[in-house]
Amino acid sequence: DRRERAPAHPLARLRHALNQTGIGPASEWTSAARDQRPVVLHILHGWGGGAERFVRDLARSDADRHHLLLRASGNPGRRRHGEFIELLDARGGPPLRRALLSPPIGAIARRHEAYAQALAETISEFAVEQVWVSSLIGHALDALDTGLPLRWVAHDYFPFWPALHRDFGDPAARFDATEMAADLRQEGPFAERDPAWWQGLRQQAIAALAAAHAEIVGPSRGVLDNFARLAPELAALPRRCIAHGSAGWPVDEPALREAPFDASGKLRVVVLGRINGAKGLDLLRQLLPALSQHCDLFLVGAGKAAEALFGTSGVHVLLDYAHAELPAILGRIRPHMALLPGTVAETFSYTLSELWRLAIPPVATRLGAFAERIEDGVDGILVAPDATQVAACVARLALD
């Protein structure tokens, strides 16, 4: 939020003078710490996706602050998500620092000496004034105990719940010990399977956020509501709903929006973005026999999970794409509509924002941010996350 610029660091003038000489501790960083603008440190996993896009877009558009990114990375196959941490200029470029963590962090660590030391050195050398946590996957809870103003940006519900893909908006969900044990019996990205360990971690994270008087920020009202159900102990903390902005594309593509409607051939349906499991593949597998009668399906940026659909009649797959190329790619496909087939709730969905920007009407499952952001029948169509109902909706549109 540009209106809430933090006060300058008390040593900002001295820091600026030192860096002008080239002998300051942050002299290798090309711009941040060379003026009096506040420095924000973002804490994030190394999985990319919408959370990293949020950090990158904010860093590139915020003229009032410098943004650093402390990113944890590891080998998902070994279920070690914090084997090393990298410090980056959040706008882009090569890492400024890289540190191996010994021992490596699995899902998350309660306390980690090497991690805490690297974090403290970063805060000191770059005069960090605020810490914004977008995800603690691969990190340690030391990130919540820096003594600096803390903002929790709710992209997910980790570490308050160990299952990442479940319906957090389900009114019947109790989020108790029994449900946690059941979720931990399912296959997931984390090696830690002891419910007692996760319950202890949850309480420690809640205590740290409360002690830091953290501000909770969510991109949709549903996220904040779910967060309140998962961690009611934090009800006293300030919280705000701020929707994500979108940086768009360097070159506008009016041709896609202004092209005359083409009703020839089958209905052309695009599915944009990753389709791992509950993000789309589960529902698509059930839908394909019925959809093939009415439409050609274009999976754009579906990732490795789409390999399971190679060779399927009427399904065209582009595993990856560069974001800048998306308008041109969709301009060639000229889809009549987009399908958002997730069976778990999205916290925001940049994909939905991009479809609207390019004037492609979405048909989405009535879950999470889709149900909150789409006005049914006005700027999109909502349908229950059920294969029969989605297939009937697409068939109806194909005949319209």
Side-chain angles (χ1 to χ4, degrees):
D1 188 342
R2 294 276 298 277
R3 296 169 298 178
E4 54 177 34
R5 175 172 176 171
H9 192 278
L11 297 181
R13 291 183 182 278
L14 177 59
R15 182 182 70 197
H16 179 63
L18 285 172
N19 278 286
Q20 291 300 311
T21 68
I23 63 173
S27 59
E28 65 198 69
W29 193 12
T30 56
S31 59
R34 290 180 180 270
D35 55 34
Q36 297 183 42
R37 286 183 287 171
V39 178
V40 176
L41 178 65
H42 295 265
I43 307 295
L44 184 61
H45 55 57
W47 296 0
E52 182 162 335
R53 177 171 174 178
F54 159 77
V55 173
R56 300 289 194 185
D57 284 353
L58 178 61
R60 291 166 182 153
S61 62
D62 185 0
D64 292 337
R65 291 169 290 204
H66 292 296
H67 294 262
L68 282 170
L69 170 58
L70 188 65
R71 185 172 65 190
S73 297
N75 188 314
R78 292 193 292 264
R79 296 184 177 181
R80 293 176 176 176
H81 303 287
E83 294 182 314
F84 61 92
I85 52 175
E86 293 179 315
L87 181 70
L88 305 101
D89 183 334
R91 297 169 303 175
L96 306 170
R97 299 275 195 279
R98 193 173 191 268
L100 292 174
L101 295 177
S102 182
I105 295 174
I108 185 174
R110 296 192 182 191
R111 291 288 177 256
H112 194 286
E113 184 177 352
Y115 178 91
Q117 180 179 348
L119 177 63
E121 290 174 354
T122 296
I123 289 172
S124 174
E125 292 183 17
F126 291 89
V128 173
E129 299 173 42
Q130 299 178 15
V131 174
W132 292 20
V133 177
S134 280
S135 180
L136 282 176
I137 295 172
H139 292 267
L141 290 182
D142 300 282
L144 306 181
D145 295 332
T146 65
L148 295 173
L150 180 64
R151 175 171 286 179
W152 183 275
V153 186
H155 297 285
D156 57 38
Y157 305 100
F158 182 93
F160 305 101
W161 200 259
L164 300 181
H165 300 305
R166 60 121 64 207
D167 185 4
F168 288 94
D170 181 0
R174 301 183 304 276
F175 299 115
D176 57 14
T178 301
E179 284 194 348
M180 179 175 285
D183 278 359
L184 285 169
R185 286 193 291 269
Q186 306 297 317
E187 187 67 24
F190 306 127
E192 296 85 348
R193 315 301 290 174
D194 181 7
W197 186 87
W198 283 101
Q199 291 285 7
L201 176 75
R202 175 184 175 279
Q203 292 304 320
Q204 194 169 349
I206 286 173
L209 286 172
H213 305 288
E215 180 184 24
I216 313 298
V217 179
S220 62
R221 292 290 176 192
V223 170
L224 295 179
D225 291 344
N226 294 341
F227 191 87
R229 296 175 64 204
L230 280 165
E233 301 92 335
L234 298 177
L237 293 181
R239 58 192 64 205
R240 287 196 290 163
C241 178
I242 304 176
H244 295 323
S246 178
W249 294 276
V251 179
D252 193 21
E253 289 285 344
L256 185 59
R257 296 192 300 272
E258 298 171 3
F261 186 80
D262 177 12
S264 62
K266 286 186 175 181
L267 192 70
R268 295 186 295 279
V269 179
V270 65
V271 176
L272 188 59
R274 295 296 192 254
I275 60 169
N276 310 63
K279 278 187 167 289
L281 183 60
D282 293 346
L283 192 58
L284 283 174
R285 278 176 163 156
Q286 302 173 54
L287 281 171
L288 283 176
L291 288 184
S292 62
Q293 304 174 39
H294 306 288
C295 66
D296 285 317
L297 195 64
F298 296 84
L299 308 181
V300 178
K304 186 174 178 60
E307 293 177 1
L309 304 179
F310 281 176
T312 304
S313 177
V315 177
H316 311 272
V317 179
L318 177 63
L319 294 180
D320 291 292
Y321 64 88
H323 181 256
E325 298 173 359
L326 182 61
I329 292 170
L330 295 180
R332 292 192 292 270
I333 297 172
R334 294 181 68 186
H336 296 109
M337 57 166 276
L339 180 62
L340 299 171
T343 52
V344 294
E346 292 278 355
T347 56
F348 180 73
S349 181
Y350 279 109
T351 299
L352 177 59
S353 298
E354 291 176 341
L355 292 170
W356 277 337
R357 189 181 183 99
L358 295 170
I360 301 172
V363 173
T365 49
R366 195 186 299 272
L367 292 169
F370 295 153
E372 183 174 331
R373 298 180 65 197
I374 294 173
E375 186 177 355
D376 189 23
V378 176
D379 51 18
I381 295 173
L382 293 170
V383 62
D386 171 80
T388 301
Q389 295 198 40
V390 174
C393 176
V394 174
R396 185 170 63 253
L397 293 171
L399 297 173
D400 190 336

